[in-house]
């Protein structure tokens, strides 16, 4: 079982930046792909970014490409989401998630489903004001 705790959310003006962190614990953390999803009020949870278990591959949804960067530090078992040039439409609760399967390949450009991930954090609120 993997436990995930997000932090770093908050209120920021449009054009600003935030860095989300996800502290992970569990025996298999370092062999699991990790992802970030978000959910705005009244909307379904949507994929934002994912990073392979070894950090060698990443995937982003189109609307964050060039603005968001996912990374991981396996020594600290922490995953990060650097968010730049934030827009009001980025306002949502952001969730960290761990893949259901260890050592799975992660193809760049693939959009992941919430069903692909088996462990979730509690979420952190990001609010971008115009």
């Amino acid at each position: 079982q993997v436990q995930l705790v997000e932090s770093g959310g908050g209120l920021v003006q449009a054009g600003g930046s935030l860095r989300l962190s996800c502290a992970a614990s569990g025996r298999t953390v370092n062999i699991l792909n990790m992802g970030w999803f978000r959910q705005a009020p009244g909307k379904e949870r949507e994929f934002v970014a994912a990073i392979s278990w070894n950090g060698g591959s990443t995937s982003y949804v189109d609307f964050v490409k060039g603005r968001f960067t996912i990374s991981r530090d396996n020594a600290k078992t922490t995953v990060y989401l650097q968010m730049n040039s934030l827009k009001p439409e980025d306002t949502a609760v952001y969730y960290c998630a761990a893949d259901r399967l260890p050592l799975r390949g992660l193809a760049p450009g693939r959009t992941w489903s919430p069903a692909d991930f088996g462990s979730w954090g509690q979420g952190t609120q990001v609010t971008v004001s115009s």
Side-chain angles (χ1 to χ4, degrees):
Q1 186 71 14
V2 175
Q3 290 78 44
L4 305 170
V5 179
E6 302 97 333
S7 61
L11 173 64
V12 64
Q13 288 188 332
S17 298
L18 282 174
R19 187 196 197 200
L20 304 184
S21 298
C22 172
S25 60
R27 290 191 304 113
T28 59
V29 166
N30 285 347
I31 57 171
L32 294 174
N33 299 328
M34 298 293 293
W36 286 96
F37 287 74
R38 70 186 189 187
Q39 189 167 17
K43 295 188 177 181
E44 293 186 352
R45 191 168 298 190
E46 61 181 359
F47 171 72
V48 175
I51 187 166
S52 62
W53 60 273
N54 62 358
S57 182
T58 57
S59 181
Y60 297 91
V61 68
D62 284 347
F63 54 74
V64 304
K65 284 181 180 177
R67 299 191 298 126
F68 292 10
T69 303
I70 188 171
S71 61
R72 68 189 296 164
D73 182 339
N74 280 351
K76 297 180 179 180
T77 61
T78 301
V79 181
Y80 304 98
L81 186 67
Q82 178 67 44
M83 305 186 295
N84 299 329
S85 302
L86 283 161
K87 305 175 182 180
E89 51 264 43
D90 293 319
T91 295
V93 177
Y94 283 71
Y95 296 91
C96 177
D99 198 339
R100 289 187 178 279
L101 302 175
L103 302 174
R104 175 151 54 172
L106 191 149
R110 174 182 172 179
T111 298
W112 292 74
S113 163
D116 292 316
F117 292 79
S119 300
W120 294 84
Q122 82 288 351
T124 186
Q125 177 71 47
V126 171
T127 303
V128 185
S129 63
S130 58

